[in-house]
Structure formats: structure tokens, C-alpha cells
Amino acid sequence: MRLLRVGVQLPEAERLVRWTELLAMARRVEDLGYDSIWIGDHLLYRNPGEPPRAPWEAWSLLSALAAVTSRVELGPLVACTAFHNPAIVAKKAATIDEISGGRLILGLGAGWHEPEYRAFGIPFDHRVGRFEEAFTIIRTLLREGEIDFAGQHYQARDCILTPRGPRPGGPPLLVGSFGPRMLGITMPHVAYWNAWYGDFRNDPAALPPLLSKIDAACLTVGREPSEVARTVAVLVGMTGSTGRASADPLERAIPPKKGTPEELADWLRAFARAGIAHVQVVLDPITIKAIEEFAPVLALLDRDV
């Protein structure tokens, strides 16, 4: 067991990456000893003055990745509940957990990029209220197998999830938010909390205020803070790094962490000391070569055990 688990986020919209390259990346990630594979869930990035960009559809890609890997955990970082009927999301998650043999971590969120909602005809109003209803339907179906729900935004009347996936309680849930209302909705139920590198400027020293919010939210809903594992996505610059073309222009000012394998390992150890159990490495550039270049960091972390 490593000091902390290390996964890789596959290309999102940095560039167009065909399935053959994604397949090769996933297999290399698994062969090199990484712990997990993550993908973004977006339909369209549209920023003023820039050409539109988008990744492939997330659930289809997760299903394919589940079938061509055998060891690594995998999940969306994070799946937007507004993009699909929530009962269908539960059905998709159970299916992918079955294909993967119980390796799915189900990250869920309310979404944020209004242009893609508008382009695909998805309501953008009442995002937290819609998320709360969707989250209720998804988690209940995955954990209990049935629900009879009638809300303001969604309905799942006498809905049954069958067949069930390989884990009786369904895949563990992850949330990537730190707003008080979202934490109140999710903290009673999730196994993981996640922060994106833009939330803490890619600096482990900036994490304590965020982690304190999670501690407080856990205690408020009657859970011990240790019951929710902390995870973060980190931006790392490898050979050829020019800065990641983030969908959020404000994130582009955040430099990737660069250094020797020893320096990067020390940097990740600082996250572990802060209480982080799992990191999703966002490589710049995200290529097979970069995945291989980062791999010696894993060997250094393994020596700490």
C-alpha cells in the first residue's frame, strides 16, 4: 500500500484523442502500477474567442475502459447528474461496476459550464435543487435497489434497479464540492470528497481551510471526519509542458508542478501529510510518454511503505 493512491486523468479537451490512443494510455497506466483512471464528464466547452472543444461521452468511455482494464479503479471526475435521467445514471453505474468487477468510484456533481447546458437543451436553473433530487434517486437505487420518488424536478415511481452490480451497496460515491448546501446533501452518504487543483491553486499548503470545511460538514451530519476519504486532482508538468488549456480560463494562470521524480514524490508526500488519501494526476501534456515519465514517482512512493 502506497502512502497515497495515485491515478491519472485521461485527456479531456486538451486535444482530440482517438479511442486507440486512449486505449493505449489506459493499458500503460495499469501496466506501470498506477492505482486509478479518471475521465471528465462534459458535453461541450465554449469560451469566448476560442473554438469549441469537447471530450468523448463519459459513460460510453467508462464502459469501454472497464472492459479493457483489470486492476485499476476508474470513475468520472465528476459525472454531471443533470446530463441524464438520474435513474438511468444509476443503471449505467451498476452496469459499469459489473463490467469492471467492482472497480467503479462514482463521482457526482451538479455541473457548472452553462454553455453546454444551453447547447444540449438541459436546464441550468436550480442546479443544487436538481442535484439533490438526482442524488437521492441515484444513491437509493444503487444501495437499496428500489425507490418511489416524486420530486419537483425528477420522478422515479416504483423504480427498481435490476440486475444489481457486484457490490451489494453499489459503488462508493465521491463528491467534488465544498459549498455548504452541497456538503449538507452529500456528506451523510459519500465515501470520498474531491477538490480540483484550481480550488487550492495546486498547493498542499492551501488545503487545510478546505479540509476543515469537510471535517465540520461530517460532524454536522453525525459522521466522523475519518469516514470520508480526501482526494485531490493535481496538475503536474512533464517534458514539453506549456500549461493546460483548462475549460475555466481562470485556471490557466495556475502553473503545473514541475521537478525531478524525487521532488515530485516529496510534493505528493506533503499531500499525504495533509490527510489526502488519493490524488488524480492531471499531466501536462497528457501523453503516453508523460505517463511513462511520471511513473518513477510511484516507485519512490512505494519505498515509503
Side-chain angles (χ1 to χ4, degrees):
M1 294 293 293
R2 290 193 176 108
L3 192 64
L4 77 173
R5 298 173 72 77
V6 181
V8 173
Q9 169 140 329
L10 294 186
E12 190 177 30
E14 297 93 333
R15 60 188 175 88
L16 174 60
V17 181
R18 298 290 179 181
W19 165 245
T20 52
E21 186 178 357
L22 291 169
L23 170 61
M25 283 183 179
R27 287 178 169 164
R28 201 70 185 114
V29 165
E30 189 160 69
D31 290 344
L32 288 169
Y34 290 88
D35 297 297
S36 56
I37 293 173
W38 303 83
I39 64 169
D41 181 21
H42 282 279
L43 305 174
L44 180 67
Y45 286 137
R46 181 174 280 159
N47 293 324
E50 298 179 2
R53 298 176 291 124
W56 299 106
E57 197 279 319
W59 291 99
S60 302
L61 188 55
L62 278 170
S63 183
L65 292 170
V68 299
T69 57
S70 61
R71 179 187 56 79
V72 292
E73 295 176 303
L74 66 160
L77 198 68
V78 293
C80 179
T81 58
F83 291 168
H84 303 277
N85 177 286
I88 300 300
V89 170
K91 188 78 172 181
K92 289 173 181 286
T95 302
I96 291 171
D97 207 34
E98 172 68 18
I99 294 169
S100 69
R103 293 183 285 123
L104 177 67
I105 297 175
L106 181 55
L108 298 172
W112 61 274
H113 190 54
E114 184 175 4
E116 64 186 334
Y117 285 73
R118 187 167 57 248
F120 282 80
I122 300 167
F124 192 70
D125 63 325
H126 306 292
R127 280 186 303 134
V128 176
R130 293 178 188 276
F131 172 84
E132 182 172 17
E133 292 187 10
F135 184 71
T136 298
I137 293 170
I138 294 165
R139 64 174 173 78
T140 304
L141 283 174
L142 289 171
R143 290 185 174 176
E144 301 176 17
E146 58 185 288
I147 191 172
D148 189 10
F149 182 88
Q152 181 178 353
H153 307 290
Y154 298 108
Q155 295 195 16
R157 304 312 309 262
D158 193 21
C159 184
I160 297 175
L161 181 65
T162 187
R164 305 286 295 280
R167 290 180 278 188
L173 303 178
L174 175 149
V175 64
S177 178
F178 48 86
R181 189 177 170 194
M182 286 288 286
L183 291 178
I185 294 167
T186 57
M187 282 301 108
H189 309 286
V190 298
Y192 300 94
W193 169 84
N194 178 261
W196 188 247
Y197 66 84
D199 297 330
F200 55 94
R201 300 196 62 80
N202 214 35
D203 182 358
L207 275 173
L210 286 180
L211 298 179
S212 294
K213 289 184 179 181
I214 308 310
D215 290 346
C218 288
L219 293 172
T220 297
V221 300
R223 296 184 74 184
E224 289 297 322
S226 60
E227 295 179 36
V228 179
R230 318 305 164 87
T231 76
V232 296
V234 296
L235 180 63
V236 180
M238 308 310 293
T239 300
S241 171
T242 58
R244 182 175 182 266
S246 171
D248 181 354
L250 296 177
E251 286 182 2
R252 299 179 189 183
I254 300 174
K257 178 66 175 180
K258 299 180 181 180
T260 64
E262 290 78 10
E263 290 168 337
L264 292 175
D266 282 342
W267 183 62
L268 290 184
R269 291 182 185 110
F271 284 98
R273 289 193 297 270
I276 301 304
H278 200 143
V279 296
Q280 299 95 1
V281 176
V282 182
L283 294 171
D284 172 37
I286 175 56
T287 61
I288 290 179
K289 183 177 179 181
I291 291 168
E292 293 171 342
E293 186 180 350
F294 186 85
V297 177
L298 305 179
L300 292 170
L301 294 175
D302 287 343
R303 295 178 188 174
D304 296 336
V305 178

